[in-house]
Amino acid sequence: CGGGLALLAMASAYPASRFEGVDLSRFAVEHAERAAATSGLDNLRFSVGRGEDLAPDGALDLVMTLDCLHDMTRPDVAAAAIRRAIRPDGTWLIREIRSTGTWSQDRRNPILALFYGYSVASCMSSGLSEPGGAGLGTLGLPPPGVEELCRAAGFEHVVLHDLDDPANLYYEVRP
């Protein structure tokens, strides 16, 4: 959930709904909690944890992972946990970096050329920070990789939405 910006916006727009944010960084969670307290919203909460920690009760209507799957040590385990946590009619919204998976194509987009360098400095390190980490890096989940990840986790419907964002692609994923 990072600092909670997306959740704060949704909690404000949909006061009858409940929102939960999870992040591995206690600093991000503390920031989100302070922002929530300042906003006066009482329909959201934050906790330190991992995607794998989601309750396997099939109770969630919507799960969002925004530019974070490629950073995870085990995105496959997180995807499987999301599948167990989401309702049969629920949706998983994924935002991942726009990439093709090949340097020769991606280098034509100046943003992606920059992201390759950032990948080595940050995202790859995060993905390899534990034994057995996937180490995908910033551009490690091009559309075929996202679809493979989702299908392996048990999702049947994966729809790519290209919103003409130069940095990101969006995926609507359903059981």
Side-chain angles (χ1 to χ4, degrees):
C1 64
L5 186 61
L7 288 176
L8 286 162
M10 291 189 306
S12 178
Y14 301 99
S17 297
R18 290 180 304 116
F19 299 89
E20 296 181 32
V22 178
D23 200 290
L24 188 57
S25 167
R26 70 177 169 89
F27 300 108
V29 169
E30 289 169 1
H31 178 80
E33 288 173 334
R34 283 191 302 274
T38 300
S39 74
L41 296 169
D42 62 357
N43 60 337
L44 71 164
R45 69 180 189 88
F46 299 94
S47 62
V48 175
R50 305 168 73 99
E52 298 91 314
D53 298 333
L54 294 174
D57 57 5
L60 301 178
D61 293 308
L62 173 67
V63 174
M64 298 185 336
T65 54
L66 306 177
D67 284 337
C68 62
L69 284 173
H70 65 268
D71 292 318
M72 295 180 184
T73 55
R74 294 298 309 271
D76 56 334
V77 175
I82 290 168
R83 177 61 189 94
R84 290 187 299 273
I86 204 164
R87 295 167 93 69
D89 62 344
T91 301
W92 179 15
L93 172 65
I94 299 171
R95 181 177 73 195
E96 274 296 321
I97 303 297
R98 172 187 296 276
S99 72
T100 66
T102 62
W103 166 247
S104 62
Q105 288 181 282
D106 289 344
R107 71 180 180 170
R108 294 180 186 141
N109 179 335
I111 292 173
L112 296 184
L114 176 68
F115 283 173
Y116 269 100
Y118 186 75
S119 179
V120 173
S122 178
C123 301
M124 187 71 75
S125 298
S126 176
L128 292 171
S129 65
E130 296 177 349
L136 297 177
T138 308
L139 301 171
L141 277 175
V146 171
E147 185 164 351
E148 180 182 329
L149 177 77
C150 294
R151 294 202 186 283
F155 288 95
E156 293 185 24
H157 306 283
V158 181
V159 179
L160 168 65
H161 295 281
D162 186 342
L163 304 178
D164 208 24
D165 177 338
N168 297 292
L169 293 170
Y170 299 81
Y171 302 84
E172 174 186 351
V173 181
R174 297 177 184 267

